[in-house]
């Protein structure tokens, strides 16, 4: 009987010591990322090798929010961000296991679960964004040609108004379909 209880304890201890991959549900991911201050906090942590002081983070975020240099911040601008981070944002992120937040020391450190947010924090435009810019530019060019043709610009006025209506309708349909299909 003793042997069975020792084996059971050993099995439960070994199961507890095995590292598990961090996970977050979609709801948790969205809850963390829905606020700009939390996204800025994560960005600041990543820029500073994963460990920062709350005062430094507060200054960085306050300067960003106010569009000014850190040296130009007023104490009320710093304090407003500091309190929001201290009371709301950092405890919430800590509760999801994304950071360690020591309120007494004012230190914040990234945890392994923060890597799950990396793909959502990428500031570089995606391929779809650059394609969207191209489509919008092409639509603007077509709109200019249609307007110039309807206004009677030389060469373009050779096409009657009904022709320009057809050209603009077809162009509109092509752009709408490419936007819907994200081509």
């Amino acid at each position: 009987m003793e042997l069975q209880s020792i084996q059971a304890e050993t099995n439960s201890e070994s199961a507890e010591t095995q590292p598990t991959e961090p996970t977050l549900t979609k709801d948790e991911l969205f809850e963390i990322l829905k606020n700009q201050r939390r996204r800025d906090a994560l960005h600041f942590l990543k820029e500073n090798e994963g460990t920062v002081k709350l005062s430094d983070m507060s200054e960085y975020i306050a300067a960003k929010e106010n569009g000014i240099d850190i040296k130009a911040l007023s104490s009320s601008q710093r304090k407003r961000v500091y309190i929001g981070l201290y009371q709301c944002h950092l405890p919430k992120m800590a509760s999801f296991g994304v950071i360690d937040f020591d309120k007494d020391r004012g230190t914040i450190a990234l945890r392994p679960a923060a890597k799950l947010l990396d793909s959502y924090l990428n500031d570089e435009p995606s391929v779809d964004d650059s394609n969207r810019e191209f489509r919008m530019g092409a639509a603007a060019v077509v709109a200019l040609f249609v307007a110039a043709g309807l206004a009677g610009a030389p060469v373009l006025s050779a096409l009657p108004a009904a022709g320009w209506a057809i050209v603009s309708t077809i162009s509109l349909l092509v752009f709408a379909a490419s936007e819907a299909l994200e081509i």
Side-chain angles (χ1 to χ4, degrees), residues 5-167:
S5 64
I6 291 172
Q7 286 177 339
E9 285 178 28
T10 305
N11 289 340
S12 67
E13 286 175 11
S14 65
E16 290 173 9
T17 59
Q18 291 178 354
T20 59
E21 289 293 318
T23 60
L24 292 170
T25 67
K26 276 187 184 179
D27 289 339
E28 291 168 336
L29 286 168
F30 292 143
E31 181 65 26
I32 294 165
L33 296 171
K34 78 177 180 181
N35 185 278
Q36 184 64 48
R37 277 194 186 163
R38 290 195 282 268
R39 294 190 304 270
D40 289 341
L42 289 166
H43 179 72
F44 187 70
L45 281 160
K46 288 177 187 306
E47 280 186 347
N48 291 281
E49 299 174 10
T51 305
V52 297
K53 290 276 194 188
L54 176 57
S55 57
D56 295 335
M57 180 182 284
S58 300
E59 287 180 339
Y60 166 80
I61 294 174
K64 185 174 186 249
E65 287 180 1
N66 290 287
I68 59 176
D69 191 65
I70 289 176
K71 294 175 185 173
L73 285 171
S74 70
S75 61
S76 64
Q77 289 169 323
R78 279 186 185 91
K79 186 176 181 180
R80 182 174 41 85
V81 173
Y82 185 98
I83 290 170
L85 289 170
Y86 183 86
Q87 291 181 346
C88 175
H89 302 297
L90 297 175
K92 182 174 290 261
M93 292 167 63
S95 72
F96 289 122
V98 173
I99 63 166
D100 283 324
F101 176 42
D102 186 335
K103 283 187 169 187
D104 296 332
R105 292 190 175 154
T107 58
I108 307 139
L110 283 175
R111 298 203 50 200
K115 290 182 192 277
L116 299 170
L117 302 167
D118 286 349
S119 63
Y120 302 102
L121 296 172
N122 189 358
D123 290 337
E124 307 219 357
S126 67
V127 175
D128 291 336
D129 289 342
S130 62
N131 288 339
R132 177 170 289 135
E133 290 171 8
F134 171 77
R135 290 191 306 266
M136 295 302 287
V141 168
V142 169
L144 285 173
F145 273 104
V146 170
L150 290 173
V155 179
L156 297 176
S157 63
L159 188 63
W164 284 112
I166 292 170
V167 167

